[in-house]
Amino acid sequence: MAPVNALQLLTIPWLVSELLVFRRDAQPGGGERRDRFSRLGLFAFIGGGIGLAFQSAAMRWLALPGSPWLWLALGAPLMFAGILVRARAVAQLGAYFRTEVTLLDDHRLVTEGLYARLRHPAYTGALLTCAGVGLGTGSLVGLAAMILLPGIAFVYRIRVEERALADRFGSVWSEHRARTVALIPGIW
């Protein structure tokens, strides 16, 4: 089995975890959708990154030095750590989690658990997963595609979401925002 095929198999748990996340989205609860096409952007940019990453791995475009199996061995734990962080963040939001930016009628601002330090830990987990997949390709192009393309979508999504939260929660949101980082500790 080639490393790229092993990586493809290792992404199955990611796909399953995301299907479970989308299943949670079917929960009842009225609210105001404020998505501004950010979910579509996430699909497009993450999907584009995945396509480019796997293509680059198969063709060894700008291969990272060393064995492709080494890069897979380094990327896989990062990918699984990201899946776990995202799953924990989604669980901590509970009924407030939606795949589209939506302010529920009874929405409350979650500021405990992972949300005590990070404003968007579910996106941090997703970005870790993407970085793990990119590293696992053993390709500089694959790594860049899986960080930059999803990163663009996450930045847009965070801006949309934070605008909606600021509108709903005002000074409570501002105080939480001042105490936390958006996505990556020490960076943003």
Side-chain angles (χ1 to χ4, degrees):
M1 176 182 298
V4 67
N5 300 116
L7 179 62
Q8 289 168 336
L9 287 174
L10 288 174
T11 60
I12 291 172
W14 181 25
L15 175 62
V16 170
S17 72
E18 289 302 318
L19 289 172
L20 292 172
V21 164
F22 273 84
R23 187 172 161 216
R24 289 179 60 99
D25 207 19
Q27 299 176 55
E32 177 188 1
R33 291 187 189 253
R34 305 272 302 263
D35 194 69
R36 301 176 57 99
F37 301 103
S38 68
R39 182 170 71 172
L40 180 62
L42 287 169
F43 282 146
F45 281 74
I46 292 172
I50 290 169
L52 186 55
F54 281 121
Q55 186 69 24
S56 71
M59 301 186 82
R60 305 289 298 140
W61 294 343
L62 296 176
L64 294 169
S67 167
W69 289 104
L70 168 68
W71 296 108
L72 180 61
L74 293 172
L78 187 61
M79 182 179 74
F80 287 113
I83 291 169
L84 292 175
V85 168
R86 180 162 166 78
R88 183 71 184 141
V90 168
Q92 286 177 351
L93 278 182
Y96 301 119
F97 177 83
R98 295 292 187 270
T99 60
E100 285 187 289
V101 176
T102 304
L103 294 171
L104 299 176
D105 295 336
D106 67 340
H107 213 106
R108 92 170 168 82
L109 186 62
V110 176
T111 60
E112 45 296 318
L114 294 173
Y115 293 87
R117 299 193 194 291
L118 291 168
R119 292 192 301 278
H120 305 282
Y123 305 145
T124 301
L127 195 56
L128 279 171
T129 303
C130 290
V133 170
L135 192 60
T137 66
S139 163
L140 185 58
V141 172
L143 180 59
M146 286 304 293
I147 292 174
L148 295 177
L149 291 176
I152 290 167
F154 286 127
V155 167
Y156 176 69
R157 172 65 168 238
I158 287 169
R159 288 189 175 148
V160 168
E161 195 168 301
E162 290 195 349
R163 194 172 309 130
L165 292 168
D167 289 349
R168 172 65 68 91
F169 296 107
S171 64
V172 173
W173 168 254
S174 296
E175 291 168 13
H176 177 63
R177 190 174 193 277
R179 294 190 301 271
T180 57
V181 297
L183 189 64
I184 303 169
I187 297 176
W188 181 55

